[in-house]
Amino acid sequence: MEEIIRINLDNEMDLIIVHKRTMRLAELCGLSIASQTTFATAVSEVARLAISYGDKSYIILSIHSLRLNQKEIVATIFDKVDLKAINSEAFAYARRLLGDIQTEYKDYYHVTTLKYRVQFGGIISKAKIESFREYFKNEPSISAYDEIRKKNIQLLELIDKVAESENRYRMLSDNLPLMMFVINNDGKISYANKWLKEFIEGQGLTLTNITWFSLLHLPDYRGFYADWEKAILTKTIFKAQGRLKQRENLIWHLISMMPVKNDNDLVTNWIGFFVDIHAQKVVEETLRDNKALKMIQQELLSHQKELEVKNTTLSRQNDFIETVLDSSVDYILAVDSDFRIITFNHNYEVLTSKKREEVLGEKLTDVFPVLKDNGTYELIQAALAGVPNHTPVYQSVISYRFYEVFYIPLSDDTDEIYGAVVLGRDITDHMQHEQKLKAMNEELLLRNNELEQFAYIASHDLQEPLRKIKTFSKLLHESLELNDKQKDYFNRIINSSNRMSNLIKDVLDFSRLSITDEQFVAVDLNEVLNLVKVDFELLIEEKSAVIHSDTLPVVPGIQLQLTQLFFNLLSNALKFSKKQPVITIKSRKLNFDEINSIIDLDANKNYYLIEFQDNGIGFEQQYARQIFTIFQRLNDKQSYAGTGIGLALCKKIVENHNGYITATSELGEGATFHVYLPAE
C-alpha cells in the first residue's frame, strides 16, 4: 500500500479538501469524470460522518497494487467512534456507489476502507506514484484554512533547512585553512572554528573567557592598539599584522576584524580572522639577512607544501560552492562589473543550452544579445550600481516560461560593488494554477447566482399553488355540510398547507442570507431586543414569560439580520418551554486569553459574548452541533411547531457577521446559546 496523502478530519473545510483531493487522485489515475465523482462522493459520505460525530478522525488516500500489476485507489478513514453504528444509511449509500466497504476495529480505531479499481493500473509505476506525492505536496492551497495548514508544514521544513544551513556554515568555517572567531565588544571570544580551537588547546589554554589579544605577542599588540581603538570608535574594518604565541615560537599572522551591526547601526559582535603569513615574513627577513637564506629556503619548501595542501583545500571549497549552486532549484547567473560572466549553475546550462566553461569570462550581452531589448540589461545595470530589483513575472524569450527574477548587487568588505547575481525562479505552474483557480472561482460565482435565483423563483412559484389549496379548502370547509371525520381531513389539509408555506418562506429567508452586500453599520442591540419583544408581546403575556437583560453593546452589523437573530433565539426560548419561561440575556467583552482559547475566533480582533439562557426543555449536549443544521429537529412537529430552519438561520447570520455561535444544555434543564460578535 503506497500512501499518497493524509488529511485530518476536523471541520467542514476538511470535507471540501477530502472531496477535491479524492477527485484529483482519481483523475491522476486516469479515471473518468463519472468514476471520479462516484468514488469521491462515497468517500465524502463517510468523511462527513467523521467530521460531524467522530473523534480524532483522519483519512489516508493510497494506491494499492493487486495481482497481475493491477491497481486500486484506497481511502481509509480512522476514527475513535464507530461511524457505521451512528448512521448506517450513509454507509448503505456509499456501498450502493462502490459495492463492498470494509470495516474493522484495529489499534483502538474503527477503520473504514473504500476501494475503487483502476482500469489500466499497469501504467501507474513507482515513479508515477512518487510524482503523485510530489503533486499533492506542492499543490496550491484550496482555501485560507488549507493555506494555514500548509504554512505550518512549510515552517517545520524551514526549521530543518535552517539547522542544515548552520551545519554547512560550521563545516565551511572548519574546513577553511585559517583561524576564524567571533568576539563581543569586550574582546572575549564567543565562537572559534576548529583551527583556532586546536591552536588554543595547543597552548594549554581553554576557550572559556579568553580574549583574542591574549593570544598575541604583547609588544605587537601594543604597536597597533591605537588603530584597534580607532576601529572600535568608527565601527570600521580593522587589519594588522602580529605574532601569535605558539608555545615557544612566535608565528606571524594577518589579523582582520569586521564589525557586525544590528538594525540600529550598533556593533553587536566582531568577526575575526588569523591568516598565517609567517612564510612571507620570513622571506622579507631573509632578504635583509642573507646569512639565514639557506635555512629560510628550507622553511619555504616546507611552507610551499603546506600551501599546496591549502590550495587543494580551497579547490575543494570551490567545488563545494559549485555543487551547492548546481543543487539549487533556481536559475542563478553572476556577472562582474564589466558584464562578464563569473558563473552560472546547471539549471542555467539546461535553460540556455550553453556550457559554463565555454562562456566564463565572456560578455553577457555577446552570449545573449536578446537581453538588450527586453529590459534585462537595464535591471542588471541598476544592480551593478547598487540598486537591487525584483521582477514578479517575467516571460523568458528563450524558454517562453514564466519566472520570478531577482537582481542582487555583490559587494566586498568595503561595500564596493564588484558584480551582480541574477536569480530566477520558475513560476509557470503556479501561474497556470492561479489562472485555473480564477476561472473556477468565476464559474462558482455564476453557479451560486443561478442557485440563488432558482431558490427565489422556486419559492415564489411554490407559494401560489399552496395559496389555492388553502383558499379552496377553506371555501369547501365553509360551504359543505361535513361530519367530524371530514372536518378533521380538511383541517389537516389546511394545517399541512400552512406548514409547507412556512417551510418555503424559511428556505427563501435562508437563501437570502448568502447575499451580504449590505453595508455594516453600528447596531444597538438594546434597540434590537426591544423591537423583538414588541413582536412577541402577546405570546410573552400569554405565557407570563419573564425576560431579564443586561445592557447590550453596540456592534457593527446588518440591522435586519441581527433582528432576525434575536427573533429566532427568543422564539426558541418561548416555544420550547413547559412552565413559565424565564429568559436571561447577558453580555460582556472577552479578554485576550478567552479569545485565544476558542479556535473559531480571530486572535487579532475583539469580541462581545451575548448569552441567551432559558429554563425550557433543553436537549442532550451531544446534539449541540446538529441543532444548527438546516431541517434538523430534536422534537416531533406535533409537540412543537417549526420547520427546523430557525437555528440554521442564526448560524448563517452570525457567520455573515464574522462571528461564532454555540449552545450548551442538559435535557430538562434549559439551554444557553453563546453568540460571539466582533466588537469593531
Side-chain angles (χ1 to χ4, degrees):
M1 190 85 72
E2 300 282 353
E3 179 177 332
I4 305 299
I5 187 170
R6 178 183 300 231
I7 306 167
N8 290 334
L9 300 175
D10 298 323
N11 53 48
E12 295 296 327
M13 285 305 303
D14 290 328
L15 181 60
I16 295 172
I17 293 170
V18 167
H19 184 80
K20 285 186 174 291
R21 291 187 174 153
T22 304
M23 289 280 290
R24 185 56 179 151
L25 180 58
E27 180 185 357
L28 292 173
C29 291
L31 298 185
S32 66
I33 290 293
S35 299
Q36 296 170 29
T37 305
T38 299
F39 184 57
T41 301
V43 173
S44 297
E45 281 296 308
V46 182
R48 182 181 288 106
L49 288 178
I51 290 171
S52 298
Y53 307 104
D55 180 27
K56 295 181 175 59
S57 314
Y58 65 95
I59 182 171
I60 297 177
L61 299 178
S62 311
I63 303 293
H64 184 213
S65 297
L66 305 173
R67 297 170 61 186
L68 301 178
N69 211 20
Q70 292 294 308
K71 303 288 191 305
E72 61 184 5
I73 309 174
V74 181
T76 311
I77 299 174
F78 298 81
D79 206 304
K80 292 287 187 178
V81 176
D82 186 357
L83 302 176
K84 186 176 180 181
I86 290 177
N87 192 334
S88 59
E89 292 181 2
F91 273 74
Y93 179 59
R95 186 174 285 109
R96 285 199 301 272
L97 292 172
L98 296 182
D100 185 37
I101 296 177
Q102 299 175 5
T103 57
E104 62 176 331
Y105 186 75
K106 183 179 179 181
D107 297 332
Y108 306 104
Y109 270 89
H110 294 274
V111 183
T112 305
T113 305
L114 303 93
K115 303 177 180 179
Y116 201 99
R117 181 73 62 88
V118 179
Q119 187 174 2
F120 304 103
I123 66 173
I124 304 177
S125 62
K126 287 279 187 182
K128 182 159 285 193
I129 291 174
E130 188 59 35
S131 73
F132 292 171
R133 293 193 185 101
E134 285 298 313
Y135 171 82
F136 286 108
K137 180 179 178 182
N138 300 312
E139 180 190 27
S141 301
I142 295 172
S143 64
Y145 170 85
D146 193 28
E147 180 71 18
I148 292 171
R149 186 165 61 182
K150 282 194 174 184
K151 291 294 183 185
N152 287 336
I153 296 172
Q154 291 173 359
L155 183 59
L156 294 175
E157 294 175 350
L158 183 60
I159 291 171
D160 293 338
K161 288 181 180 178
V162 169
E164 181 182 357
S165 176
E166 290 178 351
N167 291 334
R168 287 183 176 178
Y169 172 79
R170 185 174 292 277
M171 180 181 69
L172 185 64
S173 66
D174 286 345
N175 287 326
L176 287 174
L178 49 82
M179 290 183 277
M180 296 175 57
F181 55 93
V182 177
I183 64 171
N184 60 22
N185 287 323
D186 295 327
K188 291 182 179 178
I189 298 174
S190 58
Y191 166 80
N193 72 344
K194 179 184 72 174
W195 301 93
L196 184 57
K197 285 181 181 177
E198 291 176 356
F199 179 87
I200 293 172
E201 291 169 359
Q203 314 313 306
L205 304 173
T206 58
L207 187 60
T208 307
N209 288 328
I210 193 170
T211 59
W212 70 276
F213 44 82
S214 65
L215 302 174
L216 293 169
H217 185 44
L218 186 58
D220 293 344
Y221 177 68
R222 288 173 179 165
F224 59 71
Y225 174 79
D227 293 334
W228 168 234
E229 286 290 310
K230 182 179 178 182
I232 293 174
L233 291 173
T234 58
K235 306 175 186 177
T236 55
I237 295 174
F238 167 78
K239 290 186 179 180
Q241 294 181 4
R243 286 169 289 182
L244 269 64
K245 297 177 290 187
Q246 189 169 358
R247 294 197 178 274
E248 291 158 16
N249 298 320
L250 296 174
I251 307 299
W252 281 100
H253 282 76
L254 176 66
I255 304 166
S256 300
M257 308 290 282
M258 292 182 294
V260 179
K261 304 175 184 177
N262 61 17
D263 294 338
N264 296 322
D265 200 38
L266 297 176
V267 176
T268 57
N269 293 287
W270 293 76
I271 298 176
F273 301 90
F274 291 149
V275 180
D276 188 342
I277 58 169
H278 193 71
Q280 294 93 310
K281 297 294 287 188
V282 168
V283 169
E284 293 173 5
E285 291 177 4
T286 300
L287 292 175
R288 289 192 298 267
D289 187 0
N290 290 330
K291 294 180 181 179
L293 182 59
K294 190 173 181 179
M295 183 176 62
I296 297 302
Q297 286 176 337
Q298 293 175 348
E299 286 191 25
L300 281 174
L301 288 174
S302 175
H303 281 290
Q304 185 177 355
K305 292 179 181 178
E306 292 180 9
L307 186 60
E308 289 174 355
V309 172
K310 292 177 180 179
N311 284 336
T312 301
T313 303
L314 285 173
S315 177
R316 289 175 180 171
Q317 296 303 322
N318 287 334
D319 291 341
F320 171 75
I321 292 171
E322 197 170 280
T323 301
V324 170
L325 289 176
D326 287 340
S327 300
S328 173
V329 297
D330 296 324
Y331 298 80
I332 303 173
L333 165 74
V335 297
D336 63 16
S337 57
D338 294 325
F339 262 81
R340 298 190 180 277
I341 298 173
I342 299 174
T343 187
F344 55 75
N345 67 348
H346 177 69
N347 280 347
Y348 223 94
E349 286 186 326
V350 175
L351 176 67
T352 61
S353 301
K354 303 282 186 184
K355 290 295 183 181
R356 181 165 38 203
E357 57 271 14
E358 295 174 357
V359 298
L360 290 182
E362 297 291 328
K363 281 260 190 178
L364 180 64
T365 49
D366 292 340
V367 180
F368 305 113
V370 71
L371 298 180
K372 288 184 177 180
D373 303 323
N374 63 6
T376 301
Y377 180 81
E378 289 77 8
L379 291 170
I380 297 176
Q381 261 190 332
L384 290 172
V387 181
N389 281 287
H390 171 222
T391 304
V393 180
Y394 165 77
Q395 186 171 20
S396 170
V397 295
I398 299 173
S399 66
Y400 298 102
R401 293 180 68 82
F402 291 94
Y403 300 89
E404 180 181 12
V405 187
F406 299 85
Y407 302 89
I408 306 166
L410 292 175
S411 60
D412 58 19
D413 297 341
T414 62
D415 292 331
E416 182 179 349
I417 305 298
Y418 67 85
V421 168
V422 180
L423 187 148
R425 184 162 298 150
D426 193 326
I427 58 171
T428 305
D429 293 340
H430 176 71
M431 289 195 64
Q432 290 173 349
H433 286 308
E434 276 192 349
Q435 291 169 358
K436 186 176 180 181
L437 183 61
K438 182 179 179 182
M440 292 174 66
N441 284 337
E442 289 174 353
E443 183 178 354
L444 182 61
L445 286 173
L446 179 62
R447 294 289 178 267
N448 284 340
N449 288 334
E450 290 175 351
L451 285 173
E452 288 171 1
Q453 292 174 11
F454 172 77
Y456 183 80
I457 294 170
S459 297
H460 279 272
D461 289 349
L462 289 171
Q463 289 283 12
E464 182 57 29
L466 280 174
R467 280 194 292 269
K468 290 182 179 179
I469 291 172
K470 289 193 291 184
T471 301
F472 289 123
S473 297
K474 186 176 180 181
L475 291 173
L476 286 172
H477 185 272
E478 293 173 351
S479 62
L480 297 177
E481 293 185 5
L482 306 172
N483 57 37
D484 291 341
K485 189 173 185 180
Q486 291 169 333
K487 288 180 180 179
D488 181 55
Y489 289 157
F490 271 102
N491 287 332
R492 291 188 183 187
I493 292 172
I494 293 170
N495 290 336
S496 296
S497 299
N498 287 332
R499 282 198 303 273
M500 187 62 182
S501 179
N502 291 333
L503 181 61
I504 292 170
K505 178 180 176 298
D506 286 348
V507 169
L508 182 59
D509 289 341
F510 189 81
S511 69
R512 283 171 172 168
L513 284 181
S514 299
I515 305 171
T516 57
D517 293 336
E518 300 177 62
Q519 292 293 324
F520 276 41
V521 297
V523 179
D524 188 340
L525 296 183
N526 298 289
E527 294 180 4
V528 170
L529 177 61
N530 291 334
L531 288 172
V532 173
K533 285 164 68 176
V534 170
D535 290 341
F536 285 110
E537 188 173 4
L538 292 177
L539 185 58
I540 291 171
E541 184 178 342
E542 177 186 332
K543 290 197 169 189
S544 299
V546 178
I547 300 176
H548 302 290
S549 174
D550 291 347
T551 300
L552 302 179
V554 176
V555 298
I558 302 170
Q559 176 91 26
L560 183 61
Q561 290 191 15
L562 291 175
T563 302
Q564 182 73 47
L565 170 68
F566 273 56
F567 183 92
N568 287 359
L569 291 175
L570 207 57
S571 173
N572 260 31
L574 293 169
K575 182 196 305 181
F576 296 107
S577 62
K578 290 186 176 180
K579 54 186 176 181
Q580 180 188 17
V582 177
I583 304 166
T584 304
I585 304 171
K586 299 178 181 179
S587 169
R588 65 183 177 86
K589 196 169 187 177
L590 298 181
N591 60 42
F592 181 76
D593 291 335
E594 289 175 315
I595 295 172
N596 272 339
S597 67
I598 302 173
I599 192 171
D600 295 274
L601 300 185
D602 185 347
N604 296 318
K605 292 183 178 180
N606 293 318
Y607 289 85
Y608 286 113
L609 169 60
I610 318 295
E611 291 183 327
F612 288 77
Q613 183 178 357
D614 63 55
N615 62 339
I617 62 173
F619 56 85
E620 295 181 16
Q621 187 60 32
Q622 62 178 318
Y623 300 115
R625 277 190 178 185
Q626 181 180 335
I627 62 173
F628 292 106
T629 304
I630 190 169
F631 299 131
Q632 291 295 317
R633 297 171 54 94
L634 301 184
N635 303 283
D636 62 272
K637 61 186 177 183
Q638 285 76 22
S639 300
Y640 299 95
T643 59
I645 298 180
L647 289 177
L649 279 169
C650 292
K651 182 173 182 289
K652 188 70 174 177
I653 290 168
V654 173
E655 288 174 349
N656 283 351
H657 287 73
N658 301 312
Y660 179 57
I661 184 170
T662 61
T664 55
S665 179
E666 288 185 27
L667 195 61
E669 299 296 328
T672 302
F673 288 86
H674 313 272
V675 180
Y676 302 87
L677 293 175
E680 53 192 25

